[in-house]
Amino acid sequence: MGERKQPSFGVNFFAGGAAGTIGAVVTCPLEVVKTRLQSSLYRANEVGLNTKNPLKLMFNHVNGVITILRDIRRVEGIRALWKGLTPNLIGIIPARSIHFGVYTQGKHYYSLLNNGVEDSYVHLISAGTASIATAVVTNPIWLIKTRMQLQSEEVAKRAVLPKYKNSFHCLTSVLKTEGLPGLYRGFSASMLGLVETAAQFAMYESFKKSLLNYRQKIADKSHPDGQAPKLTQLCKIEVKLILAWYDTTLASSSAKLIAAIATYPHEVLRTRLRQTPENGVRKYTGLWQSASLIYKQEGMAALYGGMTAHLMRVVPNAAILFVSFEFLSSFFNKL
């Protein structure tokens, strides 16, 4: 077995940040809707979903998301759909850069410790390591982003919440009123998110490998003599690129869909822990306290509040992220 070539941390660091930025800009409006539906301050705005018909339920969810998008634009203006984008982008660049940089390095080093074998366990541990490193650095940024997105004139007046002028004002206000620990509200819930990220990356690698093996089997059956049809070099490159993008899109979106649904309640808990204290009083103080309080006061459905908007954002975002990352990392590694 040949020696494993160490991936370039710099290339993967840059490619991860660039890919994350593209996805964040495109899907920011749905991120705003999702955050508001997760918050107790906006739960009353969610469309009624009292139906047992799954198709009608799905339609009501999607229609509710569209309605909220329209209402935000009408009441707060088009710019409100990108509220919190600045801290989001400030967070996305280091978050995706660190995550993909550490993940690719982790795959290399953990594979060496595993006798050169890169299996699902290596992917799980690498993704977990990358997630911890990312969360420690970026949690304060996500807290600011959450508070900016939850802010609107109507809710601020009703709940007597502080009005943040911009992201920097939000940062200084949190430090002044809640101290440094205030910037790490929701960190424990972020650690629960390790399960989602680790599962997503492990499934992505597995699905991508399965798709590649499937295509190889189809090719072997179609050309048992080993003689594939002759194609021009340009045509071969185009076909290979299309199949690679298709496989990456299918694998990444499927992995994210499964992981997001399975672990979604931690998203709601994280948002509640990060939301601005009402009248100076923190309603949600810890993971288990938050989960039990939400369940008692709002029911199990509240732990899945905003999930449709979340899935409408994260599934296409995952496809954009991984396709962009694979393309950029491949491109720069060839330079």
Side-chain angles (χ1 to χ4, degrees):
M1 182 181 294
E3 185 178 350
R4 291 178 62 89
K5 182 180 179 181
Q6 183 173 354
S8 170
F9 179 82
V11 166
N12 293 317
F13 185 89
F14 171 78
T21 300
I22 295 170
V25 172
V26 173
T27 60
C28 187
L30 289 169
E31 169 71 11
V32 174
V33 174
K34 179 216 72 173
T35 303
R36 292 193 177 190
L37 288 176
Q38 288 174 348
S39 170
S40 61
L41 303 176
Y42 288 88
R43 285 285 297 168
N45 294 344
E46 192 164 17
V47 176
L49 304 171
N50 298 321
T51 177
K52 295 182 179 180
N53 186 322
L55 293 177
K56 188 174 181 181
L57 185 64
M58 184 183 300
F59 173 79
N60 286 347
H61 271 297
V62 174
N63 185 57
V65 169
I66 294 173
T67 299
I68 294 172
L69 285 170
R70 186 173 60 244
D71 288 346
I72 292 174
R73 180 182 177 280
R74 177 177 54 83
V75 177
E76 303 174 50
I78 190 71
R79 293 181 62 183
L81 292 173
W82 276 268
K83 186 174 286 186
L85 179 61
T86 300
N88 202 17
L89 287 177
I90 293 172
I92 279 292
I93 294 173
R96 297 307 186 194
S97 297
I98 293 169
H99 200 284
F100 277 100
V102 174
Y103 177 69
T104 51
Q105 293 297 311
K107 286 199 298 181
H108 174 73
Y109 287 113
Y110 290 133
S111 294
L112 293 179
L113 295 175
N114 195 34
N115 298 317
V117 179
E118 185 181 310
D119 55 21
S120 295
Y121 293 108
V122 168
H123 298 149
L124 284 169
I125 297 171
S126 300
T129 303
S131 295
I132 292 173
T134 303
V136 170
V137 174
T138 62
N139 197 86
I141 300 171
W142 301 135
L143 178 127
I144 293 170
K145 182 217 70 168
T146 299
R147 294 201 176 179
M148 290 297 294
Q149 288 181 334
L150 291 178
Q151 187 169 262
S152 76
E153 293 290 344
E154 180 185 351
V155 171
K157 290 177 181 178
R158 187 173 73 239
V160 194
L161 300 176
K163 181 70 175 176
Y164 302 122
K165 299 175 183 177
N166 49 48
S167 297
F168 182 74
H169 180 239
C170 180
L171 170 64
T172 55
S173 296
V174 172
L175 285 173
K176 183 178 180 180
T177 59
E178 302 173 56
L180 184 61
L183 292 175
Y184 282 87
R185 306 290 185 208
F187 185 79
S188 55
S190 292
M191 290 299 97
L192 284 181
L194 287 175
V195 178
E196 177 186 352
T197 303
Q200 177 193 350
F201 273 72
M203 284 189 289
Y204 167 70
E205 300 280 7
S206 178
F207 291 166
K208 193 169 66 169
K209 184 178 180 180
S210 296
L211 287 168
L212 184 62
N213 291 337
Y214 172 74
R215 293 196 184 287
Q216 187 59 53
K217 288 181 181 179
I218 294 296
D220 292 342
K221 288 182 179 179
S222 302
H223 312 288
D225 56 355
Q227 296 295 320
K230 293 183 179 180
L231 298 172
T232 64
Q233 187 64 27
L234 180 59
C235 186
K236 285 182 180 179
I237 294 174
E238 288 178 344
V239 170
K240 187 176 180 180
L241 280 174
I242 291 172
L243 291 178
W245 289 347
Y246 176 81
D247 288 351
T248 300
T249 299
L250 183 60
S252 58
S253 57
S254 299
K256 187 62 179 181
L257 178 66
I258 297 170
I261 292 176
T263 63
Y264 185 74
H266 91 271
E267 292 277 352
V268 175
L269 294 174
R270 185 167 57 190
T271 296
R272 297 294 180 96
L273 287 166
R274 286 175 176 170
Q275 70 184 36
T276 308
E278 300 179 40
N279 301 317
V281 179
R282 289 183 61 220
K283 184 177 181 181
Y284 305 102
T285 57
L287 274 180
W288 304 119
Q289 181 268 349
S290 301
S292 60
L293 184 62
I294 293 169
Y295 178 75
K296 289 178 182 177
Q297 294 186 345
E298 305 172 54
M300 180 63 74
L303 290 171
Y304 290 87
M307 187 171 74
T308 299
H310 180 67
L311 294 177
M312 287 174 67
R313 185 191 72 85
V314 299
V315 173
N317 184 61
I320 295 170
L321 174 66
F322 279 90
V323 168
S324 300
F325 172 77
E326 296 284 6
F327 171 77
L328 290 171
S329 60
S330 176
F331 176 78
F332 286 107
N333 274 319
K334 291 177 181 178
L335 294 180

